[in-house]
Amino acid sequence: MMAHKLLSDVVVLISGSGSNLQSIIDNADNIGIKIQSVVSNKADAFGLERAKKAGIATQFIDHTQFATREAFDQALIQHINTLNPKLVILAGFMRILSADFINAFAGKILNIHPALLPKFKGLNTHQRAIDAHEEFAGATVHFVTNELDSGAIILQKSVAIESNDTAKSLAAKVLEQEHILYPIAIKKVLQK
Ligand code: GAR
């Protein structure tokens, strides 16, 4: 009989396609995690379908139904607190989190950002990297702190920018690397 491996509980937050979520689902055993819940602030996020297909519980929390960012974040906090996960993993979650949320899960929140931080924080990272004539684009997995895209870096992966690259072609190349990077970074954090 195989020894039963201890899995770390995690919650994943998404807003869209969830291709990074898919990579985390596909590598969950190897990472050593159990995804307790996939939470989306968008009802039509394709990542919710990916989660359901994998038999993972999903939760839609509609930010437009809350008067303030803080009220939305309280709803998120309440849901996540019922699960008491080891990590809260942001995978294409496109809402800025308030200090209350970050303090509630201090040191446990991970994010993947499509740039080589500390360069190109925020949005539209690929076009900005091209416009700045950067040689490399890439992705960064980092801890989430109160300052946007500025927490301690866990791992990065770079991609060469070719002269014919567009924001779209670059995004696709970087995303492919994100799918490799995120599972490795999560495993690294859990092994600490
Ligand atoms: C990914 O490229 C991720 O790095 C980015 O959104 C995409 C989500 O794709 N995240 C951010 O820009 C966070 N500010 P996915 O839904 O297919 O994983």
Side-chain angles (χ1 to χ4, degrees):
M1 208 166 74
M2 244 178 40
H4 195 70
K5 206 162 118 195
L6 264 185
L7 301 177
S8 299
D9 288 328
V10 305
V11 170
V12 182
L13 272 54
I14 61 163
S15 299
S17 160
S19 69
N20 276 294
L21 166 69
Q22 188 68 58
S23 166
I24 295 166
I25 290 172
D26 294 344
N27 291 285
D29 282 350
N30 181 261
I31 303 169
I33 54 168
K34 177 179 189 321
I35 305 171
Q36 297 168 292
S37 176
V38 169
V39 184
S40 174
N41 66 308
K42 298 270 193 184
D44 60 355
F46 184 63
L48 289 173
E49 303 308 315
R50 298 179 190 271
K52 283 173 197 159
K53 203 169 167 197
I56 299 165
T58 61
Q59 186 84 20
F60 163 49
I61 305 180
D62 184 356
H63 65 274
T64 67
Q65 295 303 305
F66 296 86
T68 62
R69 181 181 301 282
E70 285 70 24
F72 168 68
D73 283 7
Q74 283 306 324
L76 278 181
I77 292 170
Q78 273 180 25
H79 172 65
I80 297 170
N81 271 340
T82 64
L83 301 167
N84 190 30
K86 196 139 192 190
L87 293 178
V88 176
I89 298 172
L90 311 184
F93 183 68
M94 302 307 279
R95 302 276 311 164
I96 290 176
L97 293 161
S98 62
D100 279 354
F101 185 94
I102 289 160
N103 295 337
F105 307 108
K108 295 183 179 181
I109 313 170
L110 305 189
N111 182 44
I112 190 157
H113 181 75
L116 294 174
L117 292 173
K119 286 183 177 173
F120 310 116
K121 298 170 183 176
L123 298 175
N124 205 17
T125 54
H126 303 301
Q127 191 59 54
R128 286 159 60 210
I130 291 170
D131 292 347
H133 304 289
E134 293 287 336
E135 240 182 298
F136 294 97
T140 304
V141 178
H142 64 96
F143 286 103
V144 174
T145 60
N146 280 313
E147 208 184 322
L148 183 71
D149 299 331
S150 298
I153 291 171
I154 299 155
L155 278 181
Q156 295 185 299
K157 208 161 197 322
S158 61
V159 168
I161 302 180
E162 310 291 345
S163 57
N164 61 351
D165 264 323
T166 60
K168 199 175 164 196
S169 69
L170 198 53
K173 283 195 257 184
V174 171
L175 192 59
E176 211 176 292
Q177 297 306 312
E178 290 184 41
H179 298 159
I180 299 168
L181 186 67
Y182 217 171
I184 296 171
I186 297 164
K187 192 169 181 174
K188 184 177 173 195
V189 168
L190 289 170
Q191 280 171 346
K192 282 236 164 98

